[in-house]
């Protein structure tokens, strides 16, 4: 009986530790990408952003998305995908105003998704 209790406690500690680690790592990656997004917004304002710049930024998102979808299936991750897809057309057409608008939404979502990962009673209820 004691072995079962210890095994249960160890399993519980491992699950909680993995959850904390997941939140910490993903939050840091989202924060880094949000900072990159601000740089893209500056390039967009200066009208110097290129399709290659955009594609490089989008590649960084794809890498983060792969991890996010594995550990955090969420509608907002899908919304970021849609914004990147729409932004691609604007980047290719040099429509800086619309591209900037997409970056604003992407930046907001990159700040918002980590907030949803944090354990909070309001998120559960």
């Amino acid at each position: 009986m004691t072995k079962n209790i210890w095994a249960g406690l160890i399993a519980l500690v491992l699950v909680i530790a993995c959850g904390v680690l997941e939140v910490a790592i993903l939050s840091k990656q989202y924060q880094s990408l949000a900072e990159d997004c601000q740089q893209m917004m500056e390039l967009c304002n200066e009208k110097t952003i290129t399709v290659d710049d955009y594609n490089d930024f989008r590649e960084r998102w794809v890498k983060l998305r792969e991890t996010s979808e594995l550990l955090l299936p969420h509608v907002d991750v899908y919304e970021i995908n849609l914004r990147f897809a729409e932004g691609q057309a604007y980047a290719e057409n040099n429509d800086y105003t619309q591209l900037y608008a997409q970056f604003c939404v992407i930046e907001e979502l990159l700040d918002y998704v980590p907030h949803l990962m944090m354990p909070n009673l309001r998120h559960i209820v």
Side-chain angles (χ1 to χ4, degrees), residues 11-120:
L12 179 63
V13 167
L14 286 174
V15 167
I16 290 172
C18 288
V20 168
L21 188 61
E22 170 192 349
V23 168
I25 290 171
L26 282 178
S27 292
K28 186 175 180 177
Q29 290 176 342
Y30 270 90
Q31 180 182 8
S32 175
L33 197 63
E35 291 169 4
D36 292 345
C37 186
Q38 290 171 354
Q39 293 173 353
M40 293 291 108
M41 292 168 75
E42 289 174 18
L43 290 175
C44 195
N45 277 335
E46 297 167 359
K47 298 182 178 181
T48 59
I49 191 169
T50 65
V51 175
D52 288 337
D53 293 333
Y54 185 83
N55 287 337
D56 289 343
F57 179 57
R58 190 173 183 181
E59 290 286 326
R60 291 191 295 272
W61 161 246
V62 169
K63 289 178 184 175
L64 178 56
R65 182 191 73 196
E66 297 296 325
T67 306
S68 295
E69 289 175 341
L70 176 66
L71 300 173
L72 179 74
H74 205 277
V75 173
D76 294 314
V77 173
Y78 180 69
E79 178 68 24
I80 297 171
N81 283 335
L82 295 178
R83 297 299 176 160
F84 269 103
E86 191 171 345
Q88 184 74 42
Y90 297 134
E92 291 172 0
N93 292 320
N94 296 323
D95 189 342
Y96 300 111
T97 304
Q98 292 296 325
L99 182 57
Y100 184 82
Q102 295 302 316
F103 281 139
C104 287
V105 175
I106 290 170
E107 180 187 34
E108 181 67 28
L109 288 169
L110 289 173
D111 286 336
Y112 181 67
V113 171
H115 164 75
L116 292 175
M117 289 186 286
M118 298 299 260
N120 187 327

